[in-house]
Every structure is written in C-alpha cells, then in structure tokens.
Amino acid sequence: MAVTDTENPLLGETTCSSLLHKLQEIWDEVGENDEERDKMLLQIEKECLDVYKRKVEQAAKSRAQLLQALSDAKIELASLLSALGEKSIAGLGIPEKTSGTIKEQLAAIAPALEQLWKQKEERVKEFSDVQSQIQKICGEIAGNLSLGDQAPSVDESDLTLKKLDEYQAQLQELQKEKSDRLHKVLEFVSTVHDLCGVLGMDFFSTVTEVHPSLNDSTGVQSKSISNDTLARLAKTVLALKEDKKQRLHKLQELATQLIDLWNLMDTPSEERRLFDHVTCNISAYVDGVTVPGALALDLIEQAEVEVERLDQLKASRMKEIAFKRQGELEEIFARAHIEIDPPAELLADMDNQIAKAKEEAHSRKEILDKVEKWMSACEEESWLEDYNRDENRYNASRGAHLNLKRAEKARILVNKIPALVETLVAKTRAWEEDHGISFTYDGVPLLAMLDEYAMLRQEREEEKRRMRESKKFHEQQSSEQESIFGSRPSPARPAGPKKVVGARANGGVNGTPSRRLSLNAHQNGSRSTTKEGKRESTGSIRPAAPVNYVAISKEDSASHVSVSDAVPASP
C-alpha cells in the first residue's frame, strides 16, 4: 500500500499518512520483506475498519435513542394536551416544529412540555381543592367527618376545564344543600329553644343530647347537618310538642277545677289573682302558649297542690253541712228507732255518683258528637229546601253567590245524612248493649228519634213520588185534550210551592230539629201522627220529631204541590 500522507510540520499533527511513512522507514531500515509488510498493512486496515464500524454503531444507537426520546416527548405532549383539553401547543403560544434535525425537534418540544407540566400541576391542585370540599360536605351530610380528612383521588387522565366545571357545579349543589340543611338545623334548634323555654326545661342539655355540636358555643358552620342529626332533632321537636300539648291539657284541667272550686266556695278575687298565670291559658291553643315557663312542671305541681287544698277545704265544708243534716236525720230516726248510714258513707256515695257520671259522659261523647253533626245536617237540609223553593234564587241580588255556594255545600252534607244515621244507629245499639240501658237524649230515647226520622224521610220520599206521578198524569191529560180540541186548554194553575208558616218542631220551621230534640209522642208510647194527620197539620206547631227531613231537589221544587191541588180542571 502506498503511503500518501506525511506529517504536517506546520501544524505539528500526526496523521495516518505520517505514521505509515514512519513505519515504512522502519521496515526499510530493518529489511522487512514485502509479504510481511503487506500482511502488517492489511492488519492495520482491518483494525481501522473495526474502529469506524464501532463509531458508526455508536452513532446509530445515539440516533435511535434521540428518536425514541423524540417519540416519547411527542407521546407525553399528546397525553398532556389530551388531559388538559388542549388541541395543540399552538394554543399555548409555542410554535409547533415538525421539521429539522432530531435535536432541533427535541429542543422545540421541551418548552411546551415544561409549560404543560406546570399547567398540569396547577390543574391537579384545583381538582384536589374542589374534590376535597365535595368530600368534606358529603362527609358532613353522611355524619362521617373523617371522610373530609382523607386526600381525594384525582384522575389525572381527565383534567379538562369541562370536568373541572362539573366538579364545581357539584360543589355548588352540595354547598346549597348544606346551607338548606344548616337552615333546617337552626330552625329546629330555635324551636327546641322556644319549647324548652315554655316547658321550663334545660335547653343546653336537651340540644346537646341530640348532638354535641348544637350548643351555642360552636360556630354556625361547625354544627352537624347529617341525616341522623336532622331526624333526631325532628323527633325531639315532636316529643317536646307532645309534652307541651299534654302539659297544656293538664294545666287547663287544673285551671277548670280551680275556677269551679273558687265559684263553689266564693273565693275572693285577690286569692284568685295569685293563679292568673294558670287560668290565663284555660282556653289557649297549643301554639298560642309562648310565655317562658308557662308550662313548667313546678307550675303544674303548684296548681295541683292548690286544687288538692281546695278539694280538702270543700270536703271539710261539705262534711260540716253533711254532719249538720246528719244530726237532724239522726234525731228524727232516733225517735223512730231507725238506723242511718254514717256521714262518711253518704259522702263516699256522692263521690261515687260524680265519678260514675263523669264515666258515663265520657262513654256518650262519641255518639253525642255524631248527634250534633246530624242535627246540623238537618238544619242545612231545611235551609236547602227553603232555598230551592225561592223562585228568585238565581237573580243577581246581593249575596246570591254566597247562598249558591252554601247550597252546594248543603247538598253534599244532605247526601251524607243516611250514612250518618246508619252509623249513629249502629253505635247507639252497641252502646246500649254494653251498658244495658237505653241511650236517651234530653230524656228521649235516641233510637226512637232515629226511627222517627227514618219513617218521616220514607214518607217524604213517597210524597215526592206521588207528586211526580200526579204531574206526569196532568201533562198526559193535557196532551190528550189538545189532540181532541185542537188547542191546549188553560190548565188549572197548580198551587205554588207552599211555604209552611208554622213553627218547626223544637224551634225550627218545617220540622227541622233544633239543638234539643224531644219526642213527646214517643214518651207517651205512640207515634206522633199518621200520614194524613201530618199533612193536615203542616202549618201547626208539632212537638214531635222532625217532619221535613228530606230536601226537595231543584227539578222537583217547581212541582211541589199537594195531591188535591194537582187534579186537572175539567175541560
């Protein structure tokens, strides 16, 4: 191999050519043959090729690493853009470089990656803050405060503004729900405070028994708003309201007893005024009692003690009277040699009579309430009948619309009378079976009154049926006469609706019962009247049970005539 490179004396550099020239000089001096020289040169050339090959391989590996780094950078860039919801790095103000050398492309991507990583960290922090607040409020609602202490798990694959807006909207809803719940809690606490004040109870111990955070020392935002707290508060309020209702009922009973005892013994007003705080609520509603301590237990106990004292005072005075009268009786019976019960037995019998009367009054209450409803319905029935008879009821007069509304309600009420009477009969019979005596109303058997009512109602329905048949017969004869004579003769004008002018039985017109019903006929052992007697004495005062229990409907009111008046005139 020829040697072409020599040492450059100016640069002082050693090159391959200069080294090869130096080697040839050494070989010349040594006397190496050409074969050995060629062999040596081939070996040198091979070693040089190996060096070049290793360098090429290293360069290729470096290029592959750079390409992989560029690919990874692009993948990471795409992932960050997708997670943050960005379409391209151009939106970040960084120009996108897709050409040039590998290192140039890497240099162009690096700032975008750095900016996206910074933006991602900020976005993760925002997500973490919002999710922490959501988690905390959810824990407060569930009653698990430890939930708010746990770090939230942020999904870093979706950090878009849309997702952040969804979390913020959820947070706003939860904040509103928390505000509503807090408002309810404060309302409940305020109600408990007012009720405890009226009942004379310790508010602090009552409210902290529900939850320790509900006392006044804690801030508003620190109060429990869990479902369990709300449920227990509602239960506490209901219990306090029920307690208030029972105490008010008890106090009103005591106030009534006090007034009765005062009136019985002519207690002076000065002594009565000492218990004004008790008697002032004798007719109050539960919600109307708001004065602190008005229903305290010590106040009720004070009233009970006073009632007991007055009872004892009443008993002592009654004993004085009883002893005095007993002395007179003993003197009379002593002369007649007759034994007499001691005064204690007389007083005990009186107390037994009072207790028995109270028990019987309680057992009659349900039936008497239904009797009141029945009487009221009958009064509305009578009014409705008078209203239906009024030919000017639809005129635009003052108050006509009020009467129309009342008539609508009256019709509904009248339709309920049969069921009400049926229930009343069943309950009355059951009461009589249980007590073994007849149920009387102001001395009159109630079942007799109800039987009378049922009979009169049936008679009235029969009378209405006859009037409708009479009207139909009259119209049929008029049609026949018209076909015979060619024109309709003027029929006899039927009598207009007769309005009974006599007084109602028991104080009402047309037989409607008043608040005190009586059946003189039943007391005498017979029915009040026959059908004919009832019609003949419509305008007179009837002491018997109601006659006009059945209201005439609108379509029948115009045909309300007697049977005799409905006969047509001869042509």
Side-chain angles (χ1 to χ4, degrees):
M1 179 180 290
V3 178
T4 56
D5 292 341
T6 58
E7 183 178 354
N8 190 348
L10 297 176
L11 297 177
E13 294 179 352
T14 301
T15 65
C16 290
S17 298
S18 63
L19 289 174
L20 183 58
H21 183 71
K22 185 69 175 177
L23 183 60
Q24 286 178 350
E25 288 180 351
I26 294 172
W27 285 340
D28 290 339
E29 185 178 350
V30 172
E32 284 287 345
N33 57 30
D34 292 338
E35 183 179 355
E36 289 294 331
R37 289 185 181 188
D38 292 338
K39 185 178 180 179
M40 186 69 68
L41 289 175
L42 287 173
Q43 184 179 356
I44 291 173
E45 185 177 358
K46 183 179 179 181
E47 291 177 356
C48 288
L49 287 174
D50 291 339
V51 171
Y52 279 117
K53 185 177 180 180
R54 286 196 301 271
K55 293 298 182 181
V56 170
E57 288 176 353
Q58 290 177 359
K61 185 177 180 180
S62 176
R63 183 187 64 180
Q65 291 175 348
L66 288 174
L67 286 174
Q68 184 63 41
L70 180 61
S71 177
D72 293 342
K74 288 182 178 180
I75 293 173
E76 185 178 2
L77 181 65
S79 176
L80 289 173
L81 289 173
S82 174
L84 296 173
E86 299 288 346
K87 294 182 178 180
S88 64
I89 60 175
L92 304 175
I94 300 175
E96 186 174 1
K97 187 175 180 63
T98 57
S99 60
T101 64
I102 298 175
K103 290 186 176 180
E104 287 176 351
Q105 293 182 39
L106 280 172
I109 290 177
L113 285 175
E114 183 178 357
Q115 185 172 345
L116 288 173
W117 269 110
K118 184 178 180 181
Q119 187 174 346
K120 179 181 178 181
E121 291 176 358
E122 294 174 354
R123 193 72 59 82
V124 168
K125 187 176 181 302
E126 291 179 9
F127 270 82
S128 179
D129 292 342
V130 174
Q131 288 181 255
S132 296
Q133 297 181 58
I134 292 174
Q135 203 165 285
K136 181 180 179 182
I137 297 176
C138 289
E140 292 175 355
I141 293 175
N144 185 9
L145 298 180
S146 61
L147 226 101
D149 299 334
Q150 300 175 4
S153 177
V154 180
D155 181 13
E156 297 187 4
S157 64
D158 189 357
L159 300 173
T160 61
L161 292 176
K162 179 182 178 181
K163 190 67 175 180
L164 182 61
D165 291 339
E166 291 178 2
Y167 277 117
Q168 288 175 342
Q170 183 182 356
L171 177 60
Q172 290 178 355
E173 290 179 1
L174 288 172
Q175 287 174 339
K176 184 179 182 301
E177 183 178 355
K178 178 181 178 179
S179 176
D180 294 340
R181 285 171 170 265
L182 188 59
H183 183 66
K184 287 182 181 179
V185 167
L186 294 177
E187 280 186 349
F188 277 132
V189 170
S190 177
T191 304
V192 171
H193 180 271
D194 295 341
L195 290 171
C196 287
V198 174
L199 298 174
M201 298 173 61
D202 184 9
F203 164 71
F204 180 80
S205 61
T206 302
V207 80
T208 52
E209 186 177 347
V210 176
H211 197 276
S213 67
L214 299 179
N215 59 60
D216 294 334
S217 60
T218 60
V220 175
Q221 297 297 327
S222 301
K223 296 187 182 300
S224 174
I225 59 171
S226 66
N227 294 328
D228 180 65
T229 300
L230 286 171
R232 295 182 66 183
L233 276 174
K235 184 178 179 180
T236 301
V237 169
L238 286 177
L240 291 174
K241 285 184 176 180
E242 183 63 25
D243 194 10
K244 180 182 178 182
K245 181 180 178 181
Q246 294 177 359
R247 290 194 190 184
L248 179 60
H249 180 68
K250 177 67 175 177
L251 193 68
Q252 288 175 341
E253 287 183 345
L254 292 171
T256 303
Q257 295 177 27
L258 282 174
I259 293 175
D260 292 341
L261 291 169
W262 288 338
N263 294 335
L264 180 64
M265 294 182 289
D266 296 328
T267 304
S269 57
E270 293 80 7
E271 187 176 342
R272 298 187 183 196
R273 277 196 292 269
L274 297 175
F275 289 89
D276 283 347
H277 56 288
V278 176
T279 57
C280 66
N281 293 320
I282 192 170
S283 59
Y285 294 103
V286 176
D287 296 335
V289 181
T290 57
V291 179
L295 300 177
L297 285 177
D298 56 350
L299 186 145
I300 295 177
E301 292 173 358
Q302 180 186 2
E304 288 177 339
V305 171
E306 181 64 14
V307 169
E308 184 178 356
R309 185 185 72 81
L310 292 175
D311 274 335
Q312 293 175 357
L313 183 60
K314 179 189 74 171
S316 64
R317 291 187 180 180
M318 291 181 68
K319 286 180 181 179
E320 292 177 4
I321 299 172
F323 285 145
K324 183 179 179 181
R325 303 299 292 175
Q326 180 70 13
E328 297 177 4
L329 285 173
E330 287 178 351
E331 185 179 351
I332 296 171
F333 287 137
R335 289 195 296 266
H337 300 282
I338 300 175
E339 292 185 357
I340 185 172
D341 293 335
E345 294 183 6
L346 294 175
L347 292 174
D349 185 63
M350 186 184 300
D351 292 336
N352 291 335
Q353 291 290 337
I354 293 173
K356 184 178 179 181
K358 288 182 178 179
E359 183 180 354
E360 183 175 353
H362 179 73
S363 68
R364 292 165 58 94
K365 185 178 183 304
E366 183 180 3
I367 296 178
L368 291 176
D369 289 342
K370 292 191 177 297
V371 171
E372 289 292 322
K373 292 181 181 179
W374 172 52
M375 292 181 178
S376 298
C378 289
E379 289 178 1
E380 286 299 301
E381 184 181 33
S382 178
W383 177 89
L384 181 62
E385 180 181 353
D386 294 340
Y387 174 78
N388 288 335
R389 289 177 177 177
D390 186 6
E391 296 178 355
N392 299 323
R393 61 182 180 275
Y394 296 119
N395 293 348
S397 58
R398 184 176 182 182
H401 66 288
L402 297 178
N403 288 334
L404 184 59
K405 289 183 178 179
R406 181 180 175 182
E408 293 175 357
K409 294 180 180 179
R411 290 188 186 95
I412 296 174
L413 191 59
V414 168
N415 290 333
K416 295 180 180 178
I417 290 180
L420 180 61
V421 171
E422 184 179 351
T423 303
L424 195 53
V425 169
K427 288 188 176 294
T428 304
R429 286 176 178 168
W431 188 93
E432 291 182 350
E433 290 178 1
D434 291 341
H435 293 78
I437 58 174
S438 176
F439 190 102
T440 59
Y441 188 93
D442 290 341
V444 181
L446 181 58
L447 285 178
M449 294 167 62
L450 295 171
D451 290 342
E452 176 91 1
Y453 167 79
M455 181 193 70
L456 294 176
R457 187 181 183 94
Q458 184 177 0
E459 291 177 356
R460 191 54 178 271
E461 289 290 347
E462 184 67 21
E463 183 180 353
K464 287 170 60 179
R465 186 187 63 78
R466 288 198 302 270
M467 286 190 295
R468 286 195 297 268
E469 291 178 355
S470 176
K471 180 181 178 183
K472 182 178 180 181
F473 176 74
H474 174 72
E475 292 176 351
Q476 184 178 359
Q477 282 204 342
S478 299
S479 300
E480 292 175 356
Q481 292 173 3
E482 181 181 4
S483 62
I484 295 173
F485 296 99
S487 63
R488 183 186 297 269
S490 298
R493 184 184 183 92
K498 292 184 179 180
K499 191 167 185 178
V500 180
V501 296
R504 291 192 182 105
N506 304 308
V509 180
N510 298 336
T512 301
S514 66
R515 291 298 176 187
R516 294 177 61 86
L517 292 176
S518 64
L519 283 174
N520 295 337
H522 281 288
Q523 291 174 346
N524 295 331
S526 63
R527 294 291 183 182
S528 59
T529 61
T530 62
K531 296 180 181 179
E532 291 77 13
K534 176 176 67 67
R535 288 194 296 271
E536 292 171 358
S537 60
T538 307
S540 61
I541 298 176
R542 182 184 300 278
V547 176
N548 184 17
Y549 279 113
V550 183
I552 302 175
S553 60
K554 286 184 179 180
E555 59 272 20
D556 295 334
S557 62
S559 62
H560 184 260
V561 295
S562 64
V563 176
S564 59
D565 292 338
V567 177
S570 299

